[in-house]
Amino acid sequence: MSEIVVAKFGGSSLADSNQFKKVKDIVFSNKKRKYIVPSAPGKRYKDDEKITDLLFQCYNSIENKEKFIETFKIIEDRYIQICNELELDLDISSYCEEIKNTVYQNKSLDYIVSRGEYLNAIVLAAYLGFKFVDAAEVIVFFEDGKLNFDETQTRLYKMSLEYDYAVIPGFYGATDKGIVKVFSRGGSDFSGSLVANGVNASLYENWTDVSGFLKADPRIVDHPRHIEKITYKELRELSYMGASVLHEDAVFPVKKSKIPIQIRNTNSPMDEGTLILSDFESPKYPKTITGIAGKKDFTVIAIEKMLMNEEKGFLRKLLSIIEDNDISVEHIPSGIDSVSLIISDEELRNKLDKVIEEIRTKLNPDSVEVYPNMALMAVVGKGMIRTRGISARLFTALKEQQINVRMISQGSSEINIIIGIENEDFESAVNAVYYAFEQANI
């Protein structure tokens, strides 16, 4: 059986006709690239608008027919321009007219916002000479909006037996009744991962506008080192903490089958990028620390109560309060008579006073204190488990910069250490820790 490469191209990779030409060169440079998953066109320049954002505007103006037609014409003209500049014999306007007619029949948000990928896949398939396969035919959702993974994989495999080369739009699928459903924003990464698993690919390439992952945010650290190899677990930790190169859910379909993911740069295709490997095929680590990431704007709710550890059900009751208020908790550091909830400010918006009152009423604690303006920084690396002195070096670096640590958490897998610090110390902390490990060459 010949090897198969699935290549997903992001919005910046297909923003205009020049980018389409780059994509064609990339695809044709390797005959193993058989199944292509495109996003909708992204920004061409700083103040430009993404096609998907314009489609959201269309949905919001659906009751104002004149405004809807005006916005949709901007979208249609963009695709016409791409087709004309690529000299394609493709009547893209007929597809746009069909979409406009369908919109007025069902007014579905999912249908409207998915049409950017749909149209882009039609254009790319025509340009490459590949078969266009509508994602609505192969990516299957249940009626409640959840993915039907097994049926999706069955249909994708059948597709691979029928077509040697195909373009499948990302971001959306459909129910058995043909109702279009979308993944969350960035979901084309997940679509590509599903396709890679379904066609039994040997590699899933994710082409974007950066050459893979960096060890730290370049907006904080000057010229951080490039990450050559990383495991799924490390990627999940870094993505969760804000390293936004790949949609964090994209690893799940390929992880099951141990299909590696390679992050590549459409504008610099000779760069090797970052290779993401199965946890069972871990690379040899030239460095102990794989990467550093983090996020600002968390609030700590600190609860104290004498003999808390002897009060059965205390933590369950506390978490029930949080659940009843539809709030997700990031971390729960605890002591014998104390427990703290670390929650994103986004989750707590307009809910904090109610939560505090319920904690006081239902749990009768000795004290409840609220500490805002906290940031979380994650130091991630599978090599940490085999290296002594990691914590010492980490906290020495923070001490030398006079940064106060408000929380420490280390997962049982010892793949990461999470530090809570003041918002205002976040950038200094990332720099201090990054350079401490770089200078030690570990």
Side-chain angles (χ1 to χ4, degrees):
M1 182 182 293
S2 62
E3 292 185 350
I4 295 173
V5 175
V6 170
K8 180 263 176 180
F9 290 91
S12 61
S13 299
L14 292 164
D16 57 28
S17 59
N18 287 328
Q19 293 299 106
F20 267 74
K21 292 172 183 177
K22 293 177 185 178
V23 167
K24 184 174 184 177
D25 288 341
I26 289 168
V27 173
F28 285 1
S29 69
N30 185 351
K31 291 183 179 180
K32 295 177 183 177
R33 294 186 179 112
K34 296 186 175 185
Y35 301 102
I36 313 302
V37 179
S39 295
K43 291 185 177 184
R44 295 162 293 184
Y45 44 84
K46 183 180 178 181
D47 296 326
D48 196 16
E49 292 189 90
K50 298 178 181 179
I51 289 293
T52 302
D53 290 337
L54 289 169
L55 288 165
F56 270 104
Q57 292 178 32
C58 284
Y59 178 77
N60 291 330
S61 62
I62 202 167
E63 301 301 332
N64 183 341
K65 192 169 184 178
E66 184 176 333
K67 178 66 175 175
F68 174 89
I69 292 174
E70 178 185 329
T71 305
F72 196 85
K73 188 175 189 308
I74 297 172
I75 297 169
E76 182 176 355
D77 287 347
R78 180 123 168 233
Y79 283 107
I80 290 173
Q81 180 181 2
I82 291 172
C83 290
N84 288 341
E85 291 176 354
L86 296 178
E87 300 180 347
L88 287 178
D89 183 18
L90 177 66
D91 184 10
I92 197 68
S93 292
S94 64
Y95 290 99
C96 291
E97 190 64 29
E98 179 185 357
I99 290 170
K100 283 189 287 187
N101 293 334
T102 304
V103 163
Y104 284 115
Q105 292 172 16
N106 62 33
K107 300 182 181 180
S108 162
L109 173 62
D110 284 18
Y111 175 81
I112 294 176
V113 300
S114 69
R115 295 305 87 184
E117 280 76 10
Y118 172 78
L119 291 170
N120 223 26
I122 289 173
V123 174
L124 184 59
Y127 187 51
L128 297 176
F130 285 15
K131 175 68 177 179
F132 167 75
V133 176
D134 191 349
E137 299 173 4
V138 291
I139 307 294
V140 188
F141 285 83
F142 291 112
E143 297 300 321
D144 63 1
K146 294 180 180 178
L147 175 71
N148 186 338
F149 182 83
D150 291 340
E151 179 62 20
T152 294
Q153 298 308 289
T154 298
R155 293 194 189 185
L156 286 167
Y157 182 67
K158 289 180 178 177
M159 177 208 70
S160 70
L161 297 178
E162 187 172 357
Y163 305 117
D164 289 335
Y165 295 89
V167 176
I168 307 101
F171 188 36
Y172 74 94
T175 67
D176 282 332
K177 294 181 180 179
I179 299 172
V180 170
K181 299 287 185 180
V182 300
F183 298 111
S184 61
R185 292 295 291 267
S188 290
D189 289 343
F190 190 64
S191 297
S193 186
L194 286 171
V195 173
N197 192 59
V199 304
N200 296 323
S202 56
L203 178 66
Y204 169 36
E205 293 179 334
N206 194 290
W207 292 83
T208 180
D209 54 6
V210 294
S211 298
F213 281 88
L214 299 174
K215 294 193 71 171
D217 189 334
R219 294 169 297 184
I220 299 175
V221 175
D222 290 335
H223 307 296
R225 192 184 295 269
H226 169 251
I227 300 174
E228 295 179 6
K229 295 180 180 180
I230 188 173
T231 63
Y232 292 140
K233 283 185 178 180
E234 291 169 315
L235 170 67
R236 170 72 172 153
E237 294 288 346
L238 290 172
S239 296
Y240 174 69
M241 291 301 293
S244 57
V245 173
L246 182 70
H247 193 279
E248 64 185 71
D249 291 338
V251 301
F252 294 121
V254 292
K255 181 179 180 180
K256 184 177 181 181
S257 302
K258 303 181 185 178
I259 299 169
I261 305 173
Q262 193 157 30
I263 309 298
R264 304 287 297 273
N265 189 341
T266 304
N267 301 315
S268 189
M270 299 306 293
D271 293 351
E272 291 186 4
T274 297
L275 187 64
I276 306 163
L277 298 169
S278 165
D279 300 322
F280 301 102
E281 301 165 3
S282 301
K284 292 181 180 179
Y285 290 85
K287 297 281 184 178
T288 298
I289 301 301
T290 301
I292 302 166
K295 294 186 285 191
K296 290 183 175 182
D297 300 323
F298 292 90
T299 292
V300 180
I301 302 176
I303 303 153
E304 291 191 5
K305 187 174 185 180
M306 186 65 70
L307 302 178
M308 181 189 292
N309 65 313
E310 296 182 11
E311 185 175 332
K312 292 181 174 61
F314 186 91
L315 190 57
R316 176 186 58 78
K317 294 174 187 176
L318 174 60
L319 293 179
S320 293
I321 293 171
I322 299 303
E323 181 183 3
D324 291 344
N325 284 279
D326 194 29
I327 294 171
S328 296
V329 179
E330 300 290 328
H331 295 281
I332 312 176
S334 63
I336 295 175
D337 295 325
S338 65
V339 62
S340 294
L341 303 176
I342 300 175
I343 303 171
S344 169
D345 290 351
E346 286 284 331
E347 292 283 328
L348 274 177
R349 184 163 291 144
N350 301 321
K351 298 178 181 179
L352 180 59
D353 291 342
K354 182 173 181 289
V355 168
I356 298 301
E357 181 59 31
E358 289 184 22
I359 290 173
R360 287 188 171 128
T361 302
K362 296 179 180 180
L363 299 178
N364 193 29
D366 295 332
S367 68
V368 181
E369 300 289 342
V370 176
Y371 303 99
N373 304 318
M374 184 164 135
L376 296 180
M377 178 183 69
V379 181
V380 178
K382 199 162 185 180
M384 294 193 324
I385 194 172
R386 299 185 299 270
T387 308
R388 296 177 181 176
I390 294 296
S391 296
R393 187 171 299 278
L394 169 61
F395 293 116
T396 298
L398 295 175
K399 177 185 176 184
E400 289 175 350
Q401 294 298 315
Q402 297 184 331
I403 295 171
N404 183 42
V405 176
R406 292 173 53 182
M407 184 210 78
I408 305 167
S409 176
Q410 183 167 20
S412 57
S413 65
E414 298 188 47
I415 196 174
N416 68 338
I417 300 175
I418 296 177
I419 310 297
I421 51 181
E422 298 282 347
N423 270 345
E424 63 185 23
D425 291 330
F426 178 70
E427 287 82 4
S428 297
V430 172
N431 270 290
V433 173
Y434 175 82
Y435 287 112
F437 284 103
E438 282 298 297
Q439 290 168 4
N441 198 34
I442 63 172

